[in-house]
Amino acid sequence: MADANTRPPLYIRIHAADNVAIVANDGGLKTGATFADGLVLVDNVPQGHKVALADLAEGDAIVRYNVVIGYAQKSLPRGSWVHERVMRMPTAPELDGLPIATVKPPALPPLEGYTFEGYRNADGSVGSRNILAITQTVQCVAGVTEFAVQRIKAELLPKFPNVDDVVALEHSYGCGVAIDAPDAIIPIRTLRNISLNPNFGGEVMVVSLGCEKLQPERLLPPGTIPITDQRGEGATDAALDVVCLQDDAHVGFMSMIDSVMRQAEVHLARLNARRRETVPASELVVGVQCGGSDAFSGVTANPAVGFATDLLVRAGATVMFSETTEVRDGIDQLTSRASSPEVAEAMIREMAWYDAYLQKGRVDRSANTTPGNKKGGLSNIVEKAMGSIVKSGSAPITGVLSPGEKVRQKGLIYAATPASDFICGTLQLAAGINLHIFTTGRGTPYGLAEVPVIKVATRSDLARRWHDLMDVNAGRIADGDATIEDVGWELFRLMLDVASGRKKTWAEHWKLHNALVLFNPAPVT
Ligand code: CA
Protein backbone atom coordinates (compact mmCIF):
# COMPACT_ATOMS: atom_id res chain seq x y z
CA MET A 1 0.00 0.00 0.00
CA ALA A 2 1.48 3.33 -1.09
CA ASP A 3 1.84 6.04 1.52
CA ALA A 4 -1.28 8.18 1.47
CA ASN A 5 0.62 11.42 0.87
CA THR A 6 2.51 10.11 -2.15
CA ARG A 7 -0.59 9.03 -4.02
CA PRO A 8 -1.24 10.90 -7.27
CA PRO A 9 -4.06 13.49 -7.23
CA LEU A 10 -7.37 11.62 -7.28
CA TYR A 11 -10.97 12.76 -7.42
CA ILE A 12 -14.11 10.65 -7.01
CA ARG A 13 -17.09 11.34 -9.23
CA ILE A 14 -20.28 9.49 -8.25
CA HIS A 15 -22.31 9.73 -11.45
CA ALA A 16 -21.39 10.42 -15.08
CA ALA A 17 -23.75 13.41 -15.13
CA ASP A 18 -22.05 15.11 -12.14
CA ASN A 19 -20.22 18.39 -12.75
CA VAL A 20 -18.41 18.25 -9.39
CA ALA A 21 -16.30 15.51 -7.79
CA ILE A 22 -14.56 15.23 -4.42
CA VAL A 23 -10.84 15.25 -3.75
CA ALA A 24 -9.81 11.87 -2.32
CA ASN A 25 -6.24 12.56 -1.17
CA ASP A 26 -5.44 12.72 2.55
CA GLY A 27 -4.69 16.33 3.51
CA GLY A 28 -6.32 17.70 0.35
CA LEU A 29 -4.56 19.13 -2.70
CA LYS A 30 -2.92 22.45 -3.54
CA THR A 31 -3.49 24.87 -6.41
CA GLY A 32 -1.83 23.51 -9.54
CA ALA A 33 -2.36 19.83 -8.67
CA THR A 34 -3.03 18.00 -11.91
CA PHE A 35 -5.30 14.95 -12.18
CA ALA A 36 -4.81 12.06 -14.57
CA ASP A 37 -7.41 13.47 -16.98
CA GLY A 38 -5.62 16.86 -17.13
CA LEU A 39 -7.90 18.76 -14.73
CA VAL A 40 -5.82 21.38 -12.85
CA LEU A 41 -6.88 22.83 -9.49
CA VAL A 42 -7.19 26.62 -9.46
CA ASP A 43 -7.77 26.67 -5.66
CA ASN A 44 -6.49 24.68 -2.70
CA VAL A 45 -9.13 22.00 -2.08
CA PRO A 46 -9.34 20.14 1.27
CA GLN A 47 -9.90 16.37 1.33
CA GLY A 48 -13.53 15.42 0.74
CA HIS A 49 -14.36 18.81 -0.73
CA LYS A 50 -15.75 19.40 -4.19
CA VAL A 51 -13.90 20.50 -7.29
CA ALA A 52 -15.66 21.88 -10.40
CA LEU A 53 -15.18 19.50 -13.33
CA ALA A 54 -16.53 22.09 -15.80
CA ASP A 55 -16.80 25.89 -15.98
CA LEU A 56 -19.88 26.90 -13.98
CA ALA A 57 -21.63 30.24 -14.64
CA GLU A 58 -23.52 32.12 -11.93
CA GLY A 59 -26.88 30.34 -11.42
CA ASP A 60 -25.75 27.05 -12.96
CA ALA A 61 -26.91 23.84 -11.31
CA ILE A 62 -24.26 22.01 -9.27
CA VAL A 63 -24.85 18.29 -9.80
CA ARG A 64 -23.67 15.40 -7.59
CA TYR A 65 -25.26 11.92 -7.32
CA ASN A 66 -26.99 13.03 -10.55
CA VAL A 67 -29.04 15.37 -8.34
CA VAL A 68 -29.00 19.18 -8.16
CA ILE A 69 -27.38 19.87 -4.80
CA GLY A 70 -27.17 23.66 -5.31
CA TYR A 71 -26.70 26.60 -7.67
CA ALA A 72 -23.49 28.56 -8.27
CA GLN A 73 -23.63 31.98 -6.62
CA LYS A 74 -20.82 33.24 -8.84
CA SER A 75 -18.89 31.96 -11.81
CA LEU A 76 -16.73 28.99 -10.84
CA PRO A 77 -14.10 28.02 -13.41
CA ARG A 78 -13.13 24.40 -13.95
CA GLY A 79 -10.76 23.33 -11.16
CA SER A 80 -12.36 25.66 -8.53
CA TRP A 81 -13.15 24.70 -4.96
CA VAL A 82 -16.96 24.40 -4.70
CA HIS A 83 -18.06 24.91 -1.08
CA GLU A 84 -21.16 26.04 0.80
CA ARG A 85 -20.34 29.77 0.60
CA VAL A 86 -20.45 29.77 -3.21
CA MET A 87 -23.64 27.68 -3.44
CA ARG A 88 -27.35 28.45 -3.06
CA MET A 89 -29.41 25.56 -1.65
CA PRO A 90 -32.40 24.18 -3.64
CA THR A 91 -35.83 24.05 -2.00
CA ALA A 92 -37.10 20.73 -0.61
CA PRO A 93 -39.23 18.58 -2.95
CA GLU A 94 -43.01 19.02 -2.56
CA LEU A 95 -44.87 16.12 -0.97
CA ASP A 96 -47.58 16.26 -3.66
CA GLY A 97 -47.25 14.49 -6.98
CA LEU A 98 -44.40 12.19 -5.92
CA PRO A 99 -43.72 8.99 -7.88
CA ILE A 100 -45.52 6.19 -6.02
CA ALA A 101 -44.08 2.65 -6.15
CA THR A 102 -42.94 3.23 -9.74
CA VAL A 103 -39.57 1.52 -9.50
CA LYS A 104 -39.68 -2.26 -9.41
CA PRO A 105 -36.09 -3.30 -8.68
CA PRO A 106 -35.30 -6.79 -9.98
CA ALA A 107 -35.85 -9.31 -7.19
CA LEU A 108 -32.60 -9.97 -5.33
CA PRO A 109 -31.58 -13.63 -5.26
CA PRO A 110 -32.14 -15.18 -1.80
CA LEU A 111 -29.07 -15.66 0.37
CA GLU A 112 -29.28 -18.94 2.20
CA GLY A 113 -27.22 -20.87 4.73
CA TYR A 114 -26.03 -17.96 6.91
CA THR A 115 -26.65 -18.32 10.62
CA PHE A 116 -25.68 -16.83 13.96
CA GLU A 117 -25.85 -17.91 17.59
CA GLY A 118 -28.61 -15.98 19.34
CA TYR A 119 -30.95 -16.08 22.33
CA ARG A 120 -34.45 -17.13 21.23
CA ASN A 121 -37.21 -15.32 23.16
CA ALA A 122 -40.73 -16.39 24.08
CA ASP A 123 -42.20 -13.92 21.57
CA GLY A 124 -40.11 -15.43 18.74
CA SER A 125 -37.57 -12.58 18.59
CA VAL A 126 -33.84 -13.28 18.98
CA GLY A 127 -31.35 -11.42 21.16
CA SER A 128 -27.68 -10.86 20.38
CA ARG A 129 -26.85 -10.23 24.04
CA ASN A 130 -28.29 -11.41 27.37
CA ILE A 131 -28.88 -8.28 29.45
CA LEU A 132 -30.97 -7.43 32.50
CA ALA A 133 -32.62 -4.07 31.80
CA ILE A 134 -34.24 -2.12 34.61
CA THR A 135 -37.06 0.04 33.29
CA GLN A 136 -37.82 3.35 35.01
CA THR A 137 -41.13 5.17 34.87
CA VAL A 138 -39.65 8.55 35.71
CA GLN A 139 -36.32 10.36 35.97
CA CYS A 140 -36.85 10.82 39.74
CA VAL A 141 -35.74 7.22 40.39
CA ALA A 142 -32.59 7.37 38.24
CA GLY A 143 -30.12 7.95 41.07
CA VAL A 144 -31.50 5.16 43.23
CA THR A 145 -31.61 2.75 40.30
CA GLU A 146 -28.03 3.56 39.32
CA PHE A 147 -26.87 2.98 42.91
CA ALA A 148 -28.63 -0.40 42.88
CA VAL A 149 -27.18 -1.29 39.48
CA GLN A 150 -23.64 -0.69 40.72
CA ARG A 151 -24.25 -3.08 43.61
CA ILE A 152 -25.98 -5.64 41.35
CA LYS A 153 -22.94 -5.60 39.07
CA ALA A 154 -20.52 -5.98 41.95
CA GLU A 155 -22.42 -8.46 44.12
CA LEU A 156 -24.94 -10.40 41.97
CA LEU A 157 -23.70 -10.47 38.38
CA PRO A 158 -20.66 -12.67 39.18
CA LYS A 159 -23.09 -15.38 40.32
CA PHE A 160 -24.80 -15.41 36.89
CA PRO A 161 -22.02 -15.88 34.33
CA ASN A 162 -24.37 -16.24 31.35
CA VAL A 163 -25.72 -12.73 31.82
CA ASP A 164 -23.72 -10.11 29.91
CA ASP A 165 -24.69 -6.93 31.72
CA VAL A 166 -27.18 -4.98 33.80
CA VAL A 167 -28.47 -1.75 32.29
CA ALA A 168 -30.61 0.98 33.86
CA LEU A 169 -32.96 2.41 31.23
CA GLU A 170 -32.56 6.00 32.42
CA HIS A 171 -34.49 8.81 30.69
CA SER A 172 -35.83 12.28 31.41
CA TYR A 173 -39.54 11.53 30.88
CA GLY A 174 -42.35 10.47 33.20
CA CYS A 175 -43.57 13.57 35.02
CA GLY A 176 -43.87 17.30 34.41
CA VAL A 177 -45.07 16.45 30.91
CA ALA A 178 -48.39 16.77 29.05
CA ILE A 179 -49.04 13.04 29.28
CA ASP A 180 -52.47 13.14 27.60
CA ALA A 181 -51.30 15.24 24.63
CA PRO A 182 -51.68 13.30 21.36
CA ASP A 183 -47.93 13.14 20.72
CA ALA A 184 -47.16 11.81 24.23
CA ILE A 185 -47.74 8.38 22.72
CA ILE A 186 -44.30 8.67 21.12
CA PRO A 187 -42.12 8.79 24.27
CA ILE A 188 -44.43 6.35 26.10
CA ARG A 189 -44.41 3.65 23.45
CA THR A 190 -40.67 4.21 22.95
CA LEU A 191 -40.00 3.36 26.61
CA ARG A 192 -42.43 0.44 26.50
CA ASN A 193 -40.88 -1.05 23.38
CA ILE A 194 -37.29 -0.53 24.58
CA SER A 195 -38.19 -2.56 27.69
CA LEU A 196 -39.26 -5.32 25.29
CA ASN A 197 -36.07 -5.22 23.17
CA PRO A 198 -35.00 -8.77 22.23
CA ASN A 199 -31.70 -8.39 24.12
CA PHE A 200 -33.56 -8.26 27.45
CA GLY A 201 -35.17 -11.69 27.16
CA GLY A 202 -38.66 -10.58 28.18
CA GLU A 203 -37.48 -10.13 31.78
CA VAL A 204 -39.08 -6.78 32.50
CA MET A 205 -38.67 -5.15 35.90
CA VAL A 206 -39.71 -1.61 36.70
CA VAL A 207 -38.57 0.93 39.29
CA SER A 208 -41.28 3.51 39.94
CA LEU A 209 -41.45 6.50 42.28
CA GLY A 210 -45.18 6.25 43.00
CA CYS A 211 -46.64 9.69 42.37
CA GLU A 212 -45.47 10.17 38.74
CA LYS A 213 -47.77 10.76 35.79
CA LEU A 214 -46.40 7.79 33.88
CA GLN A 215 -47.72 5.04 36.17
CA PRO A 216 -46.26 1.53 35.60
CA GLU A 217 -49.60 0.18 34.33
CA ARG A 218 -49.73 2.96 31.79
CA LEU A 219 -46.20 2.28 30.60
CA LEU A 220 -46.69 -1.49 30.41
CA PRO A 221 -50.40 -2.36 30.40
CA PRO A 222 -51.46 -5.97 31.12
CA GLY A 223 -50.72 -8.22 28.16
CA THR A 224 -47.73 -6.29 26.78
CA ILE A 225 -45.07 -8.54 28.31
CA PRO A 226 -44.66 -11.91 26.59
CA ILE A 227 -44.70 -14.90 28.90
CA THR A 228 -41.40 -16.72 29.13
CA ASP A 229 -41.25 -20.51 29.15
CA GLN A 230 -39.69 -20.48 32.59
CA ARG A 231 -42.95 -19.25 34.11
CA GLY A 232 -44.38 -22.63 33.23
CA GLU A 233 -47.51 -24.01 31.63
CA GLY A 234 -50.77 -22.38 32.40
CA ALA A 235 -49.40 -18.90 32.92
CA THR A 236 -51.88 -16.55 31.32
CA ASP A 237 -50.18 -13.24 31.88
CA ALA A 238 -46.93 -11.97 33.27
CA ALA A 239 -47.57 -9.83 36.34
CA LEU A 240 -45.69 -6.56 36.13
CA ASP A 241 -42.75 -6.58 38.51
CA VAL A 242 -42.59 -3.12 40.06
CA VAL A 243 -40.45 -1.75 42.88
CA CYS A 244 -42.21 1.42 44.07
CA LEU A 245 -39.92 3.67 46.09
CA GLN A 246 -42.79 5.45 47.89
CA ASP A 247 -44.22 2.14 49.09
CA ASP A 248 -44.87 2.28 52.87
CA ALA A 249 -42.74 -0.85 53.28
CA HIS A 250 -39.63 1.15 52.44
CA VAL A 251 -37.96 2.57 55.51
CA GLY A 252 -34.68 4.18 54.62
CA PHE A 253 -32.69 4.25 51.39
CA MET A 254 -31.13 0.81 51.90
CA SER A 255 -34.54 -0.86 52.04
CA MET A 256 -35.18 0.52 48.51
CA ILE A 257 -31.85 -0.81 47.29
CA ASP A 258 -32.58 -4.19 48.91
CA SER A 259 -35.94 -4.36 47.10
CA VAL A 260 -34.39 -3.61 43.70
CA MET A 261 -31.62 -6.14 44.27
CA ARG A 262 -34.01 -8.85 45.48
CA GLN A 263 -36.15 -8.49 42.37
CA ALA A 264 -33.13 -8.22 40.08
CA GLU A 265 -31.87 -11.56 41.38
CA VAL A 266 -35.11 -13.29 40.33
CA HIS A 267 -34.71 -12.02 36.76
CA LEU A 268 -30.97 -12.66 36.66
CA ALA A 269 -31.57 -16.32 37.59
CA ARG A 270 -33.98 -16.74 34.67
CA LEU A 271 -31.72 -14.89 32.23
CA ASN A 272 -28.77 -17.01 33.37
CA ALA A 273 -30.60 -20.17 32.28
CA ARG A 274 -30.76 -18.98 28.66
CA ARG A 275 -28.37 -20.42 26.06
CA ARG A 276 -27.42 -19.31 22.59
CA GLU A 277 -28.76 -21.46 19.77
CA THR A 278 -28.11 -21.49 16.03
CA VAL A 279 -30.67 -19.34 14.24
CA PRO A 280 -30.91 -18.21 10.60
CA ALA A 281 -29.51 -14.81 9.62
CA SER A 282 -33.14 -13.82 8.96
CA GLU A 283 -33.44 -13.24 12.73
CA LEU A 284 -31.14 -10.22 12.57
CA VAL A 285 -32.90 -6.91 13.12
CA VAL A 286 -30.38 -4.26 12.14
CA GLY A 287 -30.66 -0.50 12.44
CA VAL A 288 -28.36 1.62 10.29
CA GLN A 289 -27.54 5.27 10.79
CA CYS A 290 -24.74 7.76 10.25
CA GLY A 291 -23.31 10.56 12.36
CA GLY A 292 -20.44 13.00 12.15
CA SER A 293 -20.69 12.65 8.36
CA ASP A 294 -18.30 13.93 5.73
CA ALA A 295 -18.24 13.85 1.93
CA PHE A 296 -16.78 10.34 2.04
CA SER A 297 -19.79 8.98 3.96
CA GLY A 298 -21.78 8.86 0.75
CA VAL A 299 -18.85 7.46 -1.26
CA THR A 300 -17.38 4.71 0.92
CA ALA A 301 -19.08 3.72 4.19
CA ASN A 302 -22.72 4.35 3.31
CA PRO A 303 -22.61 2.52 -0.05
CA ALA A 304 -20.85 -0.41 1.69
CA VAL A 305 -23.62 -0.40 4.32
CA GLY A 306 -26.14 -0.24 1.45
CA PHE A 307 -24.57 -3.35 -0.05
CA ALA A 308 -24.76 -5.09 3.36
CA THR A 309 -28.38 -3.93 3.66
CA ASP A 310 -29.16 -5.74 0.41
CA LEU A 311 -27.40 -8.86 1.74
CA LEU A 312 -29.55 -8.70 4.89
CA VAL A 313 -32.74 -8.34 2.85
CA ARG A 314 -31.62 -11.27 0.66
CA ALA A 315 -31.05 -13.33 3.82
CA GLY A 316 -34.62 -12.59 4.93
CA ALA A 317 -33.59 -10.31 7.81
CA THR A 318 -35.05 -7.01 8.94
CA VAL A 319 -33.04 -3.86 8.34
CA MET A 320 -34.18 -0.34 9.05
CA PHE A 321 -32.94 3.05 7.98
CA SER A 322 -34.10 6.29 9.55
CA GLU A 323 -33.13 9.97 9.97
CA THR A 324 -36.11 11.81 8.46
CA THR A 325 -34.37 15.16 8.07
CA GLU A 326 -31.55 13.48 6.16
CA VAL A 327 -33.70 11.64 3.66
CA ARG A 328 -36.39 14.31 3.23
CA ASP A 329 -34.64 15.82 0.22
CA GLY A 330 -34.56 12.44 -1.51
CA ILE A 331 -38.19 11.53 -0.76
CA ASP A 332 -38.94 11.00 -4.46
CA GLN A 333 -36.29 8.24 -4.59
CA LEU A 334 -37.91 6.54 -1.60
CA THR A 335 -41.58 6.75 -2.59
CA SER A 336 -40.68 5.36 -6.01
CA ARG A 337 -38.93 2.40 -4.32
CA ALA A 338 -41.87 1.61 -2.02
CA SER A 339 -43.19 -1.93 -2.49
CA SER A 340 -46.80 -0.70 -2.53
CA PRO A 341 -48.76 2.57 -2.68
CA GLU A 342 -49.63 2.10 1.02
CA VAL A 343 -45.96 2.06 1.98
CA ALA A 344 -45.28 5.18 -0.13
CA GLU A 345 -48.26 6.97 1.46
CA ALA A 346 -47.03 6.03 4.94
CA MET A 347 -43.63 7.52 4.10
CA ILE A 348 -45.22 10.74 2.85
CA ARG A 349 -47.36 10.87 6.00
CA GLU A 350 -44.24 10.63 8.19
CA MET A 351 -42.44 13.34 6.16
CA ALA A 352 -45.47 15.65 6.28
CA TRP A 353 -45.77 15.16 10.05
CA TYR A 354 -42.08 16.01 10.43
CA ASP A 355 -42.34 19.03 8.10
CA ALA A 356 -45.14 20.39 10.32
CA TYR A 357 -43.15 19.63 13.47
CA LEU A 358 -40.13 21.52 12.14
CA GLN A 359 -42.26 24.38 10.87
CA LYS A 360 -43.85 24.84 14.30
CA GLY A 361 -40.37 25.39 15.68
CA ARG A 362 -39.44 27.63 12.70
CA VAL A 363 -36.48 25.45 11.88
CA ASP A 364 -33.84 26.78 9.55
CA ARG A 365 -33.46 24.00 6.96
CA SER A 366 -29.85 24.98 6.38
CA ALA A 367 -29.01 24.25 10.02
CA ASN A 368 -28.92 20.44 9.71
CA THR A 369 -25.41 20.42 8.34
CA THR A 370 -23.06 20.88 11.28
CA PRO A 371 -19.80 22.85 11.20
CA GLY A 372 -18.05 19.45 11.08
CA ASN A 373 -20.14 18.30 8.10
CA LYS A 374 -19.16 21.48 6.22
CA LYS A 375 -15.53 21.15 7.17
CA GLY A 376 -15.71 17.59 5.84
CA GLY A 377 -17.01 18.83 2.49
CA LEU A 378 -20.79 18.45 2.86
CA SER A 379 -22.15 21.81 1.74
CA ASN A 380 -25.82 21.41 2.60
CA ILE A 381 -28.64 19.04 3.57
CA VAL A 382 -29.37 18.07 -0.03
CA GLU A 383 -25.84 16.77 -0.56
CA LYS A 384 -25.91 15.12 2.87
CA ALA A 385 -29.27 13.45 2.12
CA MET A 386 -28.04 11.88 -1.10
CA GLY A 387 -25.09 10.36 0.75
CA SER A 388 -27.32 9.21 3.61
CA ILE A 389 -29.98 7.44 1.52
CA VAL A 390 -27.46 5.04 -0.04
CA LYS A 391 -27.35 3.19 3.30
CA SER A 392 -30.75 1.78 2.33
CA GLY A 393 -29.29 -0.19 -0.58
CA SER A 394 -31.47 -1.06 -3.53
CA ALA A 395 -34.23 -3.34 -2.22
CA PRO A 396 -37.89 -2.28 -2.27
CA ILE A 397 -39.03 -0.55 0.93
CA THR A 398 -41.61 -2.87 2.47
CA GLY A 399 -42.65 -1.13 5.67
CA VAL A 400 -42.77 2.14 7.62
CA LEU A 401 -42.65 2.68 11.39
CA SER A 402 -43.75 5.82 13.20
CA PRO A 403 -41.34 6.98 15.95
CA GLY A 404 -41.24 4.49 18.84
CA GLU A 405 -43.18 1.71 17.10
CA LYS A 406 -41.97 -1.89 17.16
CA VAL A 407 -41.13 -3.65 13.91
CA ARG A 408 -43.26 -6.67 13.07
CA GLN A 409 -42.06 -7.64 9.59
CA LYS A 410 -39.00 -8.62 7.60
CA GLY A 411 -37.33 -6.72 4.80
CA LEU A 412 -36.25 -3.09 4.37
CA ILE A 413 -38.13 -0.79 6.74
CA TYR A 414 -38.19 2.97 6.96
CA ALA A 415 -38.27 3.75 10.71
CA ALA A 416 -39.09 7.47 10.94
CA THR A 417 -36.80 9.12 13.50
CA PRO A 418 -34.99 12.42 13.87
CA ALA A 419 -31.41 12.34 12.56
CA SER A 420 -29.95 13.10 16.02
CA ASP A 421 -27.65 10.15 16.70
CA PHE A 422 -28.86 9.43 20.25
CA ILE A 423 -32.56 9.90 19.45
CA CYS A 424 -32.33 7.78 16.30
CA GLY A 425 -30.50 5.05 18.24
CA THR A 426 -33.07 5.19 21.05
CA LEU A 427 -35.99 4.88 18.61
CA GLN A 428 -34.32 2.04 16.71
CA LEU A 429 -33.87 0.23 20.05
CA ALA A 430 -37.62 0.59 20.57
CA ALA A 431 -38.18 -0.74 17.06
CA GLY A 432 -36.48 -3.93 18.25
CA ILE A 433 -32.98 -3.93 16.74
CA ASN A 434 -30.51 -6.55 17.94
CA LEU A 435 -27.59 -4.89 16.10
CA HIS A 436 -26.74 -1.31 15.16
CA ILE A 437 -24.50 -0.13 12.30
CA PHE A 438 -23.09 3.38 12.53
CA THR A 439 -21.00 5.12 9.86
CA THR A 440 -18.88 8.16 10.60
CA GLY A 441 -16.49 10.39 8.70
CA ARG A 442 -15.54 13.06 11.20
CA GLY A 443 -15.44 10.41 13.94
CA THR A 444 -17.67 9.80 16.95
CA PRO A 445 -17.16 7.36 19.83
CA TYR A 446 -20.93 6.62 19.82
CA GLY A 447 -22.20 3.46 21.50
CA LEU A 448 -25.29 1.90 23.08
CA ALA A 449 -25.40 -0.14 26.29
CA GLU A 450 -28.38 -2.16 25.03
CA VAL A 451 -27.17 -3.56 21.67
CA PRO A 452 -23.74 -3.83 20.00
CA VAL A 453 -22.85 -0.90 17.72
CA ILE A 454 -20.53 -1.65 14.78
CA LYS A 455 -18.82 1.56 13.68
CA VAL A 456 -17.64 2.05 10.11
CA ALA A 457 -15.08 4.74 9.24
CA THR A 458 -15.47 6.52 5.90
CA ARG A 459 -11.75 7.38 5.55
CA SER A 460 -8.54 5.45 6.17
CA ASP A 461 -7.07 8.45 7.98
CA LEU A 462 -9.82 8.26 10.61
CA ALA A 463 -9.54 4.44 10.79
CA ARG A 464 -5.78 4.76 11.43
CA ARG A 465 -6.06 7.46 14.09
CA TRP A 466 -9.10 5.88 15.79
CA HIS A 467 -7.83 2.32 15.35
CA ASP A 468 -9.31 1.18 18.66
CA LEU A 469 -12.73 2.80 18.16
CA MET A 470 -13.62 2.00 14.53
CA ASP A 471 -14.63 -1.59 13.73
CA VAL A 472 -14.49 -1.43 9.92
CA ASN A 473 -12.46 0.79 7.57
CA ALA A 474 -14.51 1.63 4.48
CA GLY A 475 -11.86 4.22 3.53
CA ARG A 476 -10.07 1.40 1.69
CA ILE A 477 -12.70 1.92 -1.03
CA ALA A 478 -11.45 5.47 -1.73
CA ASP A 479 -7.84 4.25 -1.51
CA GLY A 480 -8.57 1.69 -4.25
CA ASP A 481 -7.65 -1.18 -1.90
CA ALA A 482 -11.15 -2.67 -1.61
CA THR A 483 -14.47 -2.50 -3.43
CA ILE A 484 -17.86 -1.53 -2.04
CA GLU A 485 -18.81 -5.22 -2.34
CA ASP A 486 -15.71 -6.34 -0.38
CA VAL A 487 -16.48 -4.02 2.54
CA GLY A 488 -20.20 -4.87 2.35
CA TRP A 489 -19.45 -8.59 2.72
CA GLU A 490 -16.92 -7.91 5.50
CA LEU A 491 -19.58 -5.98 7.36
CA PHE A 492 -22.20 -8.70 6.84
CA ARG A 493 -19.87 -11.38 8.20
CA LEU A 494 -18.86 -9.16 11.11
CA MET A 495 -22.56 -8.69 11.93
CA LEU A 496 -22.99 -12.48 12.25
CA ASP A 497 -19.87 -12.72 14.47
CA VAL A 498 -20.89 -9.80 16.70
CA ALA A 499 -24.52 -10.98 16.95
CA SER A 500 -23.19 -14.41 18.00
CA GLY A 501 -21.03 -12.89 20.74
CA ARG A 502 -17.90 -14.31 19.04
CA LYS A 503 -16.60 -10.79 18.56
CA LYS A 504 -17.09 -7.63 20.57
CA THR A 505 -17.25 -4.17 19.07
CA TRP A 506 -14.76 -1.54 20.20
CA ALA A 507 -17.58 0.35 21.94
CA GLU A 508 -18.37 -2.82 23.90
CA HIS A 509 -14.70 -3.41 24.65
CA TRP A 510 -14.33 0.03 26.22
CA LYS A 511 -17.92 0.04 27.58
CA LEU A 512 -18.70 3.27 25.72
CA HIS A 513 -22.34 4.11 25.50
CA ASN A 514 -24.55 7.14 25.08
CA ALA A 515 -27.67 8.03 27.04
CA LEU A 516 -31.14 7.06 25.89
CA VAL A 517 -32.71 10.24 24.56
CA LEU A 518 -36.47 10.09 24.10
CA PHE A 519 -38.16 11.94 21.27
CA ASN A 520 -40.89 13.95 22.98
CA PRO A 521 -42.70 16.25 20.54
CA ALA A 522 -45.45 16.87 23.16
CA PRO A 523 -45.34 19.82 25.58
CA VAL A 524 -43.44 19.81 28.85
CA THR A 525 -45.42 21.31 31.72
CA1 CA B 1 -27.58 10.37 12.82
Side-chain angles (χ1 to χ4, degrees):
M1 192 172 124
D3 178 59
N5 293 323
T6 64
R7 289 173 186 271
L10 178 70
Y11 66 68
I12 300 173
R13 178 196 262 190
I14 301 282
H15 191 276
D18 294 355
N19 58 15
V20 291
I22 62 164
V23 166
N25 302 73
D26 279 353
L29 293 171
K30 299 258 184 273
T31 303
T34 306
F35 296 90
D37 65 352
L39 176 72
V40 179
L41 288 188
V42 299
D43 295 312
N44 295 337
V45 181
Q47 186 191 33
H49 280 247
K50 291 177 286 300
V51 53
L53 299 175
D55 291 329
L56 297 169
E58 187 181 339
D60 274 0
I62 298 166
V63 180
R64 189 167 176 231
Y65 297 98
N66 193 27
V67 165
V68 176
I69 60 164
Y71 299 93
Q73 281 191 323
K74 59 174 192 173
S75 92
L76 296 165
R78 178 176 145 88
S80 299
W81 179 20
V82 181
H83 52 78
E84 77 277 4
R85 295 181 299 282
V86 298
M87 290 170 61
R88 181 167 57 77
M89 185 165 49
T91 52
E94 295 288 333
L95 291 178
D96 297 326
L98 288 165
I100 301 295
T102 48
V103 176
K104 293 279 172 246
L108 298 165
L111 199 60
E112 282 159 358
Y114 289 90
T115 60
F116 69 100
E117 305 298 309
Y119 295 97
R120 178 74 75 178
N121 294 313
D123 66 355
S125 67
V126 172
S128 62
R129 295 291 180 270
N130 192 22
I131 296 172
L132 172 63
I134 303 182
T135 300
Q136 298 166 57
T137 50
V138 66
Q139 167 61 214
C140 311
V141 304
V144 173
T145 310
E146 184 53 32
F147 189 100
V149 163
Q150 292 309 323
R151 279 195 50 194
I152 293 167
K153 283 185 178 178
E155 297 166 34
L156 297 180
L157 203 51
K159 294 199 285 181
F160 303 103
N162 290 328
V163 182
D164 292 313
D165 204 1
V166 181
V167 172
L169 302 178
E170 185 185 344
H171 60 84
S172 57
Y173 198 70
C175 213
V177 290
I179 204 151
D180 293 318
D183 289 335
I185 187 65
I186 293 177
I188 295 172
R189 73 181 169 213
T190 302
L191 272 178
R192 174 183 308 145
N193 288 331
I194 289 178
S195 305
L196 302 173
N197 183 280
N199 278 6
F200 307 149
E203 292 298 331
V204 179
M205 70 170 281
V206 180
V207 177
S208 151
L209 181 61
C211 58
E212 67 272 28
K213 283 188 177 176
L214 183 59
Q215 288 289 304
E217 301 72 31
R218 184 163 188 168
L219 177 61
L220 290 150
T224 48
I225 303 172
I227 303 150
T228 60
D229 335 344
Q230 292 91 337
R231 284 168 217 250
E233 303 267 335
T236 51
D237 198 1
L240 190 56
D241 176 11
V242 181
V243 174
C244 176
L245 301 190
Q246 289 171 351
D247 193 304
D248 290 343
H250 287 138
V251 179
F253 174 54
M254 278 307 148
S255 74
M256 299 174 190
I257 300 300
D258 289 344
S259 289
V260 176
M261 291 184 68
R262 192 169 50 243
Q263 289 313 113
E265 189 155 10
V266 173
H267 295 281
L268 284 168
R270 282 202 290 254
L271 288 170
N272 196 53
R274 304 172 83 210
R275 293 293 179 273
R276 289 187 185 270
E277 58 186 274
T278 305
V279 296
S282 58
E283 299 295 358
L284 286 174
V285 182
V286 180
V288 303
Q289 73 151 321
C290 48
S293 298
D294 67 2
F296 282 95
S297 299
V299 176
T300 60
N302 291 353
V305 168
F307 187 85
T309 294
D310 284 350
L311 294 178
L312 288 165
V313 172
R314 288 171 57 190
T318 305
V319 52
M320 61 189 80
F321 70 108
S322 298
E323 305 176 290
T324 300
T325 35
E326 289 175 7
V327 299
R328 173 67 179 82
D329 285 274
I331 179 66
D332 50 327
Q333 295 178 28
L334 299 180
T335 52
S336 59
R337 258 173 72 199
S339 63
S340 70
E342 291 71 30
V343 169
E345 294 302 337
M347 238 178 303
I348 294 169
R349 186 191 66 223
E350 290 301 330
M351 299 283 159
W353 184 90
Y354 212 88
D355 278 2
Y357 166 73
L358 293 180
Q359 207 168 18
K360 201 164 70 181
R362 301 194 183 188
V363 170
D364 172 8
R365 199 164 80 91
S366 65
N368 174 289
T369 29
T370 64
N373 290 154
K374 290 174 182 170
K375 200 173 170 207
L378 288 176
S379 296
N380 60 38
I381 182 60
V382 184
E383 185 175 17
K384 191 170 164 180
M386 297 310 137
S388 178
I389 283 176
V390 296
K391 294 197 299 297
S392 67
S394 64
I397 301 160
T398 50
V400 177
L401 295 179
S402 294
E405 284 182 340
K406 193 172 175 63
V407 74
R408 300 192 190 281
Q409 64 186 113
K410 306 282 188 185
L412 179 62
I413 308 293
Y414 179 66
T417 79
S420 157
D421 296 350
F422 344 101
I423 298 181
C424 172
T426 300
L427 290 169
Q428 288 188 348
L429 281 174
I433 55 170
N434 50 25
L435 211 53
H436 194 48
I437 308 293
F438 192 101
T439 71
T440 184
R442 305 299 297 167
T444 161
Y446 175 84
L448 292 170
E450 297 80 9
V451 304
V453 178
I454 297 174
K455 288 202 293 295
V456 185
T458 71
R459 291 174 300 122
S460 292
D461 173 54
L462 175 68
R464 269 191 296 271
R465 286 186 293 113
W466 288 31
H467 57 89
D468 49 6
L469 289 166
M470 294 292 142
D471 300 292
V472 174
N473 175 20
R476 292 178 294 139
I477 296 166
D479 302 338
D481 297 330
T483 63
I484 287 169
E485 291 78 7
D486 293 338
V487 178
W489 273 107
E490 178 188 333
L491 191 53
F492 179 71
R493 293 198 172 93
L494 181 61
M495 282 189 237
L496 297 174
D497 283 342
V498 170
S500 302
R502 289 191 289 266
K503 279 189 183 165
K504 281 192 169 176
T505 66
W506 279 115
E508 283 183 296
H509 175 83
W510 299 120
K511 299 190 190 305
L512 300 180
H513 57 83
N514 291 96
L516 297 177
V517 183
L518 293 177
F519 180 40
N520 179 22
V524 170
T525 59

